[in-house]
Amino acid sequence: MRRMRANARAATLAAIGAAALVVPLLVATAPAEALIPKAELSIAKTVGSHGPVQKLDTALSGTGLNGHLEWVEDGLRIYTEADRDSCVVPVPASSPTCNMQAEGPEMRITEYLDTDTLLADVVNAPQPFSIPYISFVPAGNVGFVPDYHLLVDLNDDGNPDIKLVRTLFSPDWTATLIIGGTPFAALTTGNPPVPTNVGSLAAWLNALTPNPQQFPNAPKPTVTAFGFAVAPGALVDGVIQSIDFAGNRISFARVYQSGITAAPGETVSYKLTIANGNSSNSRSAQGVQVADVLPPDMTYVPDTLKIQVGSQWQTPSASNWPCTFANNMLTCAARTFAKGESRTIRFWAMLSENISAAGLPESEGHWIDVKHDDTAGVLNVGQTRTVTAVCPVDYMATDGGLLLDQAGASADVVIESSKVTTVGGAAAWAVRATNLGTEVADVTAQVTCLAVEVGASGGHTHLLDAMTMAMKPGSLASDPATDGQQVQRSCPVGYTPYAPEFEVASGIAVVRESYVVDNTWYWVIDHTDGTASSFGISCLAPQTMADSGHMADLVISTPDDTISVGPETQTEGVMACPADSNAIVGGYGGYTSQVRSLGAEPRGDAYMFRFYNADWTQARSADIQVTCVGALTADEPTYKDVVNTAYVTTTTKDRDYSDNASSAGVAVNGDPVAGLPSGVILTQLAATRTVANNKTTALTLSMQCTKTNPCNFTVKAFSGSNLVASKTSSILALATKNIVVPTTSLGKNLAFGDNVVVKIKTTAGTTSYNVGIVS
């Protein structure tokens, strides 16, 4: 087909050339035809979720009952409040309300984002975002601002040892030891030197990094998380728009795209951008009007219609553009758009709570393709050679290595590096090895390849979501215990490690064990004193990238087994994946240095592992393991696509009318909560206790207002027919809040493991939840 098109193009050019030869005067004298000036009007519609933009690590959260997070248009709003109702400690009868001494500890905010970044890369980050910085916009005259936090791991065990804190207006960082962490070397200042825990980030890097001449391969300080905090008792209210970290700007602003996923009853934001072109042949567009009719499953949220003027959002008016919403329809009065002019409109819409996918079948998941490649080669005596196996284009290398045969000289092959590379734009796995023996060795490079895009299902595809963690030093040059040193690299929680890589810069290192547990990859290495080596991994997200308003779930499993390797024997073991799965990474472990791995061979849904036991007298054990990904992503629930289309018209002739309409879709999944009372829900079916004098004084429930107006409600907890806790309260629109519900006299004996029925009542009705007490 390509050749036919090329021939057709050649024939066309030949015909044009012939015509030019026949009528040269006509071609030479004809004037160039100019395009008739026309409007170049277009409209683009996008939709954004009101949910979290960045993933905060809930395990590291230190936000109190009266510290709050709210995702808003421009970022993450953080605020504290003096909520007297949350005070549950006994107070004198003469003091009916709580005092700030009791209130203060709960007025705190501390949140982190996970990372795995060398502190040196933070200090030496490139411009323009080289300095760790929080872009915070306070509301009104509230005086407190969040501090910047870095959690730093000093001994490479994956756990932070110290916390570095900098206030927004100070260049210096204060270091404190985290409980259970490795003690750190303090800075010194003055003459004579005096220890201090305050200094620049560069000074801390110098103090926390072991002397490279004495310990050239010692663990280097690594930032495991970065974030922000507001001290207990501080009143704060404002929006974090972004955080600068390691040369990157992490935005917290709402993300708008062509499609998102939402649940019944949720509120979403729409943006319409109307623009007129600015080419040399464009002209102003007269009588420009906009119309947008919301679908039946949506309702316009009153008072949310805004027009963007510069960086400000203004209420529509004669000066910016008189637009109105009536009967769920947006209309904008006619106006002129000059060349190059644009306007953006924003409004909110609420999905009906009655949207349901109940009874509809789930659609089949997306196919995931895994391929393998191998390259055979020989290593001559004394030769160092790199052998490479290459993946197809648009596949990523998830695993690789060198398969050896114990017979002959393969026992004396030393692998110096085994890592991902690229060949002609395609991912590949390269292994560099040296033959230290006296015979030629036969070797085979192996690579496992995973397609970066899953197959089509329901008319759409998804891209896999993955990240690569930087190679970091492993073995220690001065480590006297050179037999069985453990090295580990961790992915974010929930991610699956793949592509375990290593490289030896000097000395000799033999990888005895290489395996995964949860989100961490472990190596056990035997090495000569003076060895310098580095290790790295990549991380596969549990879900794909979003497409058609949703993400697809991967089916991941990691089966393992133990095999026996006889004395002075080469043994092979096969570890298979569950049915309908493919193996993408192999892991292994020889229990002693006598058991040497000779590599692995991927075989579709299984891995073959080869070991040699150098022990003369007894059999030894070895573990084998595979990480498997399902041949299909998980079945996708049926989504009800709520499509909203906006139109723009002009009385001027338009060059292209195909871009005068634009749609944004919301894939509504899940079913509504029965009897949802005005959008007040429990975010988790668990309650924690507050205890004083061995009595339960209150239950804490995490509640959310999903409405665009504040939610007023009464919450009551029952044990059988007994009322055990009660409170009337309110939550700001679209906010989540921990509600502390004081117990009644019948609730004082509530204990861990008890179950209660929680009822939330509003003017719209009552919803009941079965809740367990978990503390």
Side-chain angles (χ1 to χ4, degrees), residues 15 50 192 217 244 246 257 352 373 404 495 529 670 683 691 713 725 729 748 760:
H50 285 202
N217 294 292
D244 294 349
Q257 48 198 328
S352 169
D373 187 56
L404 307 174
Y495 282 64
D529 191 27
T683 62
V691 179
F713 58 92
S729 188
K748 302 301 181 185
I760 306 172

Side-chain angles (χ1 to χ4, degrees), residues 264 354-362 637-640 668-672:
N354 297 320
I355 298 175
S356 175
L360 296 178
E362 292 186 330
T638 299
Y639 293 85
K640 180 168 184 180
V668 184
N669 61 342
D671 296 324

Side-chain angles (χ1 to χ4, degrees), residues 189-194:
T189 183
N191 189 14
V194 177

